[in-house]
Amino acid sequence: MIRILVADDEAMVRAGVRAVLSTAGDLDVVAEAADGREAVEQALRHRPDVAVLDVRMPRLDGIEAGAQIRRNLPATGVVVLTTFGEDEYILRALGGGAAGFLVKSGEPEELIAGVRAVADGAAYLSPKVAARVVAHLSATGAAALAGRRAAARERVGALTAREREVLAHLGGGLSNGRIARRLHLAEGTVKAHVSSILARLGVDNRAAAAVVAHEAGIVPPVQAPPR
C-alpha cells in the first residue's frame, strides 16, 4: 500500500482528493491537514510515502511545507496541487524538491497516476502543468519561447543518445525501474544515467530535468504509469 498525506485548507477539496484516491486499491490516505504547518507535523507523525499538498495554505504554503517535509523525510515524495495562474508557485516548488505537479481541474486518473509515479521514485508533471511551466519559463513572445526551446535542445543535444532516451522517459513520468525495463537496462545503470543527466543539464532534481525534456520536445505523450 502507498500511504498518503493530503493537505488542503478546504475540507471539501480534501474529501474529494481522498475519494479519488480511495478508488485505487493500492492507495491509502493515512492523514489529513488543513494548513502547511499541520501538514509537516502530520508527515513527521505518520511518515507517509507521498504528501499531496495544496500550493496555497495558511500558516505555511505548500511549497515551504513540501520543502520541510523533504528535508526531514527524504523518503517521502511530494505532489503539489495547483490551479491555473499559479506558475510562480510551480517554479518555487521545483526548487523545493517537489516531484509531482498536478492541476486541480485535471482528470482523477492523473492524480492517481501522479501519486503512484512519485511513490515509485519518478517525477510526474501533468500535461497541463508541463505546458504552463514551459510557457511561463519562456517569458513573453514567440522569440523568447523559441529561444528557450532552442536552448533546451542544445542542452539535451550534449547528452549521449542513451541519456536522451532516459531523459525522455523520465520526463514522461517513469521511475528508474520502469525506465530500466523499457530500455532493457539494469536499474543501477539507469540510476547512473540519471545522475549524469542532472549534472550535465545543471539541474537539482528529476522534476527540473523533466521540464527541460518537455521544453526540448523529446517527451512522448504522457500515459499513466503501468502497475
Side-chain angles (χ1 to χ4, degrees):
M1 294 293 289
I2 298 171
R3 304 173 68 255
I4 305 161
L5 160 69
V6 175
D8 194 293
D9 58 326
E10 297 184 34
M12 287 185 66
V13 173
R14 293 198 307 275
V17 171
R18 177 187 280 273
V20 169
L21 296 176
S22 69
T23 64
D26 58 326
L27 306 182
D28 181 25
V29 177
V30 297
E32 295 185 15
D35 60 63
R37 198 174 303 281
E38 184 183 6
V40 175
E41 294 168 354
Q42 292 285 5
L44 292 173
R45 181 175 299 119
H46 294 276
R47 296 181 173 270
D49 300 303
V50 178
V52 178
L53 310 176
D54 181 32
V55 73
R56 293 188 183 185
M57 291 188 289
R59 296 212 291 169
L60 203 64
D61 67 28
I63 309 305
E64 181 56 33
Q68 289 191 23
I69 290 171
R70 292 291 297 155
R71 284 196 296 270
N72 289 282
L73 300 168
T76 297
V78 172
V79 172
V80 174
L81 296 179
T82 72
T83 59
F84 287 115
E86 295 179 330
D87 302 351
E88 71 279 6
Y89 287 93
I90 298 173
L91 300 181
R92 283 179 54 210
L94 281 170
F101 299 86
L102 300 164
V103 289
K104 289 183 177 180
S105 59
E107 296 296 325
E109 293 78 9
E110 282 188 6
L111 175 60
I112 293 171
V115 167
R116 284 174 172 165
V118 170
D120 209 22
Y124 189 91
L125 281 72
S126 77
K128 291 179 181 179
V129 170
R132 294 292 297 181
V133 171
V134 171
H136 188 84
L137 289 175
S138 69
T140 57
L145 176 58
R148 284 206 59 90
R149 285 178 173 167
R153 291 192 196 102
E154 183 177 354
R155 294 166 74 186
V156 170
L159 304 177
T160 67
R162 179 63 83 186
E163 287 172 342
R164 287 194 294 273
E165 283 186 302
V166 171
L167 177 61
H169 290 306
L170 185 157
L174 272 64
S175 65
N176 287 353
R178 292 195 171 100
I179 294 172
R181 290 193 289 275
R182 186 72 58 87
L183 299 179
H184 306 290
L185 298 172
E187 187 169 347
T189 301
V190 172
K191 183 177 180 180
H193 281 313
V194 170
S195 296
S196 176
I197 289 167
L198 298 184
R200 297 178 73 173
L201 293 181
V203 296
D204 295 326
N205 54 59
R206 296 173 69 100
V211 170
V212 176
H214 280 276
E215 284 189 301
I218 66 170
V219 180
V222 176
Q223 299 177 349
R227 293 301 295 173

